[in-house]
Amino acid sequence: MSENRNSREADTRETAARPKSWAPPSILPEINHEEGYAYRYVRVSTMGTPDVNNVSSKFREGWEPVKASDHPEAFTMADPNSRFKDGIETGGLLLCKMPEEFANQRTAYYRDKTEDTALDDEVDEKYEEAIQLVMETRRASISMLQRRLRVGYNRAARMIEMMEHQGLVSGSDGIKPREVLPPE
């Protein structure tokens, strides 16, 4: 009787593993990323119309097309009208890469530029009133500014952010109220 039984040693995880389920393919091809490079898709056309300005702008920033010959795992049908013959292009998007060091410098540059632009904007006419209110009440919240100054959420939030940037109030710490910092 025991001769007809299979031993437990014959059972392995491979035979007991569940079959893999089917998943729909990704719209954009997946590739094995080279270490030290950042990847992104660059728009080369919209609805069949070439976007030459965007492509040349991204190339000047340092993005370079990823070659399909270097990544055979990225199966795409070649577009006969493509300007990038060996590129990985699909749906008007071209896969590009840039050394991570440059990508991080680029990100920092645009982040700083955005912060500078936000601070250079015209000062709100109710900003001085908002500072006075915060200093008197020793409370700094967006909702308080909305109610007391009768302004919208975005405007009140911008004033609180400006106060934070100037060191008048502490940064946001989740649910805790912002601390009004003593003047220096």
Side-chain angles (χ1 to χ4, degrees):
M1 185 168 172
S2 64
E3 296 169 11
N4 294 338
R5 288 182 158 191
N6 291 337
S7 70
R8 288 187 69 57
E9 293 172 2
D11 288 340
T12 62
R13 283 200 171 266
E14 288 89 33
T15 59
R18 292 183 185 172
K20 294 188 178 192
S21 61
W22 179 86
S26 170
I27 294 174
L28 299 174
E30 296 288 329
I31 66 161
N32 299 327
H33 292 237
E34 293 176 58
E35 199 167 315
Y37 282 94
Y39 291 83
R40 79 178 279 182
Y41 281 91
V42 172
R43 184 183 67 245
V44 293
S45 66
T46 304
M47 295 174 45
T49 305
D51 192 348
V52 180
N53 291 337
N54 186 57
V55 174
S56 56
S57 165
K58 299 305 177 206
F59 285 0
R60 283 192 308 271
E61 284 181 3
W63 294 100
E64 57 190 55
V66 173
K67 295 182 179 182
S69 58
D70 293 343
H71 295 279
E73 73 275 8
F75 176 75
T76 57
M77 297 297 289
D79 180 4
N81 301 325
S82 175
R83 293 171 290 159
F84 308 98
K85 295 298 181 200
D86 193 30
I88 300 174
E89 184 178 356
T90 183
L93 300 173
L94 176 68
L95 183 61
C96 293
K97 68 180 181 179
M98 172 191 289
E100 279 184 355
E101 181 181 331
F102 294 157
N104 293 338
Q105 291 172 4
R106 177 189 172 277
T107 301
Y109 169 79
Y110 282 113
R111 183 181 52 244
D112 293 345
K113 192 172 181 178
T114 301
E115 287 175 2
D116 291 347
T117 303
L119 293 177
D120 290 344
D121 286 345
E122 194 174 304
V123 176
D124 194 301
E125 66 260 10
K126 291 194 175 190
Y127 183 62
E128 292 300 323
E129 190 179 343
I131 292 175
Q132 185 178 0
L133 181 64
V134 166
M135 292 302 164
E136 286 174 4
T137 62
R138 305 300 295 168
R139 289 183 54 229
S141 74
I142 295 170
S143 59
M144 180 192 68
L145 291 184
Q146 282 182 273
R147 287 190 310 273
R148 299 277 183 92
L149 300 178
R150 297 187 185 283
V151 296
Y153 176 84
N154 291 339
R155 190 171 173 188
R158 201 172 318 121
M159 286 191 262
I160 291 288
E161 285 178 0
M162 288 173 67
M163 288 182 210
E164 181 182 339
H165 232 40
Q166 292 178 344
L168 301 174
V169 298
S170 67
S172 176
D173 189 18
I175 197 166
K176 293 181 183 177
R178 290 177 185 264
E179 185 180 336
V180 178
L181 303 173
E184 294 178 0

